[in-house]
Amino acid sequence: MATLALKQLKKQYPNGYKALHGIDLAFGEGELIVIVGPSGCGKSTLLRTLAGLEDISEGDLEINGKRVNDLEPAERDIAMVFQNYALYPHMSVFDNMAYGLRNRRTPKDEIHRRVSEAAELLGLTELLDRRPKQLSGGQRQRVAMGRAIVRKPQVFLFDEPLSNLDAKLRVQMRLEIRRLQKRLKVTSVYVTHDQTEAMTLADRLVVMNGGHVEQFGTPMALYDQPASQFVAGFIGSPAMNFLSATQAQAGLSLPCGARLALNGEGLATGDDATLGIRPEHLQVMGKDEDLPTGAAELEARIELVEPLGADTLAYCRLQGQSEPLVVRLDGEHAVEEEQTLRLAVLPARAHLFGTDGKRLATREQATTVIE
C-alpha cells in the first residue's frame, strides 16, 4: 500500500495552456479515490501526471513520502488500466497478463503463479488460452485489470475503464472493481465523468472544474454539503434544482412570490443569491395539509412525467423560473401532465449559494409563520 501527495501540482503546455492550477491533495493507504468532472476539467491530465505520462510543470508528486517527479513511468511502481483495454490482439489472455512480468525478467514459475492467482480472482481461469477478439467487453476489461494486478504495484490508476461497456455491464464491473480493490487494499485513483459511478465507487471523491479542485471529501459529504453551486449541480442525479432568491427581512424571497424562513450569512436585505433544492427533497403536500414551519410553498404545473419504476420524475413549470423544476416521487405516486403540485421547501433541506457560486452558511428564522 502507498500514500500519494500532490503539492501545488501545475501543468502548463508549451502553447501556454494551463491544464492544472496548483493541485493540493493527499490520499491515504488503500483508499479508492475517484476524480470526477466534466470534459476538459483536467482529470485525465492529472491522472497522466501521476503515471508519469505527462511532465509536471511545477509542484511535487510524492509516493510514500518520496518525490517522484523525475522518475520514469516504469520506475514509479504504478499500474494503469486504460479505457480501451490496450491488449495485444495476437497474444493469449495468459500472455497479455504475463507481458509486463516477462519484461521485468520475472522467473517463469513466479509468472505462472501470479497469473493463475489473478485469473482465479477475476474469473478468467477458463479463458487463459483465448485471444482478445474471442472475449466480451467485460472479459477484456478483466484481462486489463489482471495485467495490472499481477505486477503487484503500489498504486492502481484507472482511466475511465468502463466507458466502453453497456449500462448493465458497467454496474456489474463497478461492483467487481470495488470488491477487488477492497480485497487487494491497493491505493487506487479512478477517473470518470460519470457522477453515479463516482458516488458508488469512491472512499473519497475529487470534483474538478477548469483545472482546479472544487471539493474533496466523502461522496455523502459532497452530496449533503456541496462547497459550490458547481459541485451541487454535478453531484446527484437528477441534478439539484436552482432558484433565484433575494434576501428579505423575513427570510428569502423566491421568484414565484414564496418566502423561505432562511437567512444567508453575510447577505444584506436586497442581496441576490441562488437557492438549491434536490428533487428528492421537495415535499409534496396535500390540498388541505398544513405547511411545515418556516417552509416555502411552491405551486408547480407538471409538464412531463418520467416513470422509472421505483421512482417517478416530474418536470414542472414554476412561475418566474425559466428552467423546469424536477421533483422525485416514489413510483406509486400517481401524477399526470398538466396536474398542479403543491410543494414545500424545508429550510433544513435548502442550500444557498452566493453570486460567486460559493456555498453560504445559513440560519433559520425564528418566526414560525411566513406571510
Side-chain angles (χ1 to χ4, degrees):
M1 292 191 291
T3 59
L4 282 176
L6 290 66
K7 299 180 177 180
Q8 278 298 297
L9 211 64
K10 297 181 182 181
K11 175 62 182 179
Q12 181 171 334
Y13 290 98
N15 64 2
Y17 175 71
K18 295 180 180 179
L20 300 175
H21 303 266
I23 306 297
D24 277 307
L25 294 168
F27 307 152
E29 290 187 349
E31 277 194 299
L32 200 168
I33 302 295
V34 179
I35 303 174
V36 68
S39 297
C41 71
K43 57 186 184 295
S44 291
T45 301
L46 181 57
L47 196 75
R48 290 173 64 83
T49 61
L50 299 182
L53 301 176
E54 295 276 4
D55 293 331
I56 296 170
S57 302
E58 292 183 42
D60 293 319
L61 170 61
E62 295 180 356
I63 299 178
N64 282 335
K66 177 184 177 183
R67 186 178 184 273
V68 299
N69 291 41
D70 301 322
L71 294 184
E72 293 296 322
E75 299 174 320
R76 296 189 184 192
D77 201 10
I78 285 174
M80 192 163 181
V81 179
F82 295 94
Q83 176 181 345
N84 62 356
Y85 319 134
L87 302 178
Y88 294 105
H90 63 286
M91 291 185 182
S92 67
V93 168
F94 183 96
D95 289 337
N96 266 285
M97 292 172 65
Y99 184 79
L101 297 178
R102 285 176 177 151
N103 279 353
R104 296 183 174 201
R105 301 186 184 280
T106 306
K108 287 185 178 180
D109 58 344
E110 178 69 7
I111 291 175
H112 190 274
R113 184 183 66 81
R114 289 196 194 184
V115 171
S116 297
E117 287 178 353
E120 184 177 354
L121 188 66
L122 293 162
L124 295 171
T125 303
E126 304 300 320
L127 305 176
L128 289 175
D129 293 328
R130 295 191 186 182
R131 301 277 179 91
K133 67 180 181 181
Q134 297 173 292
L135 306 178
S136 68
Q139 290 168 337
R140 292 179 194 179
Q141 192 55 268
R142 287 190 185 94
V143 176
M145 289 167 59
R147 183 178 53 196
I149 288 170
V150 297
R151 289 180 51 192
K152 296 186 176 179
Q154 292 190 90
V155 179
F156 283 137
L157 303 180
F158 295 90
D159 187 12
E160 304 210 37
L162 308 184
S163 59
N164 289 336
L165 305 180
D166 62 52
K168 183 177 180 180
L169 194 52
R170 283 173 72 101
V171 174
Q172 179 184 336
M173 289 301 298
R174 207 160 64 207
L175 293 173
E176 290 194 17
I177 288 174
R178 186 63 176 155
R179 175 179 60 82
L180 280 169
Q181 197 274 338
K182 287 297 183 185
R183 181 170 175 177
L184 298 172
K185 297 180 180 178
V186 177
T187 305
S188 303
V189 182
Y190 187 109
V191 160
T192 181
H193 65 276
D194 184 331
Q195 58 91 18
T196 300
E197 198 169 282
M199 289 283 289
T200 54
L201 276 174
D203 289 320
R204 288 194 292 167
L205 193 56
V206 179
V207 178
M208 291 192 65
N209 181 26
H212 297 272
V213 173
E214 285 276 336
Q215 194 170 356
F216 179 38
T218 64
M220 288 311 299
L222 270 63
Y223 176 85
D224 290 329
Q225 297 288 322
S228 66
Q229 190 173 337
F230 177 85
V231 175
F234 197 84
I235 298 297
S237 181
M240 183 181 287
N241 295 296
F242 295 114
L243 306 177
S244 299
T246 303
Q247 185 67 61
Q249 290 184 348
L252 289 172
S253 175
L254 304 182
C256 56
R259 289 287 182 93
L260 179 65
L262 199 69
N263 283 340
E265 294 289 348
L267 291 182
T269 300
D271 284 350
D272 292 330
T274 298
L275 180 74
I277 182 74
R278 296 200 180 278
E280 53 270 34
H281 293 159
L282 284 163
Q283 184 173 324
V284 180
M285 306 292 295
K287 182 179 179 181
D288 299 319
E289 188 176 351
D290 290 337
L291 196 67
T293 300
E297 180 176 350
L298 308 179
E299 285 196 356
R301 181 173 56 84
I302 299 175
E303 294 188 330
L304 179 67
V305 175
E306 279 189 351
L308 302 176
D311 298 320
T312 295
L313 300 181
Y315 294 81
C316 306
R317 179 60 57 193
L318 181 68
Q319 181 183 354
Q321 181 76 8
S322 59
E323 294 294 320
L325 184 75
V326 185
V327 184
R328 185 192 289 274
L329 309 165
D330 65 72
E332 298 179 356
H333 199 121
V335 292
E336 298 177 351
E337 294 175 7
E338 303 301 325
Q339 178 182 341
T340 297
L341 294 179
R342 182 175 177 238
L343 304 168
V345 177
L346 305 181
R349 290 295 200 180
H351 305 264
L352 196 62
F353 306 95
T355 53
D356 61 355
K358 301 300 182 184
R359 182 183 185 87
L360 296 175
T362 58
R363 65 180 187 279
E364 294 185 34
Q365 289 275 1
T367 53
T368 57
V369 179
I370 302 297
E371 296 296 340

